[in-house]
Amino acid sequence: MPSASKLTTPVAVDLPQIEGRYADLGGYTVGFETFPQDVDPAPLFAGLPDDRCPCPHWGVVQSGQVTFRWADHEETYGAGDAYYAGPGHVPLLSAGTSIVEFSPSDLLGETMAAVERNLAAAGAGA
């Protein structure tokens, strides 16, 4: 059975707003993400359906707080909370947040391609 650990998964994204480590687990990607500062990544989802993340995520907040915003409501989770964020959301992360998140690899790949294009257009690089 495949497994991953934050300690053994290499850093794939190292930006001022996020450190991300990602491993494939049989068609799902586990992400170990840390956010050292407040982050509102809404502009990075431009060009996706309704300019929102179309990928579902299952996760656990290890520290800090994450809010998922949909067109008609929002949900906030704190340290120790497990969550499901269905398609059509935009996250908002507070400084000091650390999450472990599982996502379908194919949908996550499509989403991240759009995010990377938007980062490049903003001059941030991925």
Side-chain angles (χ1 to χ4, degrees):
M1 173 180 280
S3 66
S5 160
K6 182 176 182 177
L7 295 176
T8 60
T9 303
V11 174
V13 176
D14 191 9
L15 298 170
Q17 310 91 327
I18 179 177
E19 177 190 272
R21 301 164 182 259
Y22 306 96
D24 182 63
L25 299 178
Y28 284 82
T29 297
V30 60
F32 302 95
E33 297 178 328
T34 302
F35 301 88
Q37 57 186 267
D38 291 343
V39 179
D40 182 355
L44 301 178
F45 296 101
L48 291 166
D50 297 321
D51 295 332
R52 296 177 170 275
C53 180
C55 183
H57 311 284
W58 294 261
V60 176
V61 180
Q62 294 182 309
S63 63
Q65 178 176 293
V66 59
T67 298
F68 293 99
R69 301 167 290 175
W70 286 269
D72 62 347
H73 74 288
E74 62 181 49
E75 297 175 11
T76 299
Y77 302 96
D81 288 340
Y83 61 84
Y84 168 70
H89 64 272
V90 175
L92 183 64
L93 301 120
S94 64
T97 297
S98 180
I99 61 174
V100 177
E101 192 169 80
F102 298 85
S103 311
S105 296
D106 56 348
L107 292 173
L108 182 63
E110 293 170 13
T111 301
M112 293 311 295
V115 167
E116 289 172 9
R117 282 191 301 274
N118 289 323
L119 277 170

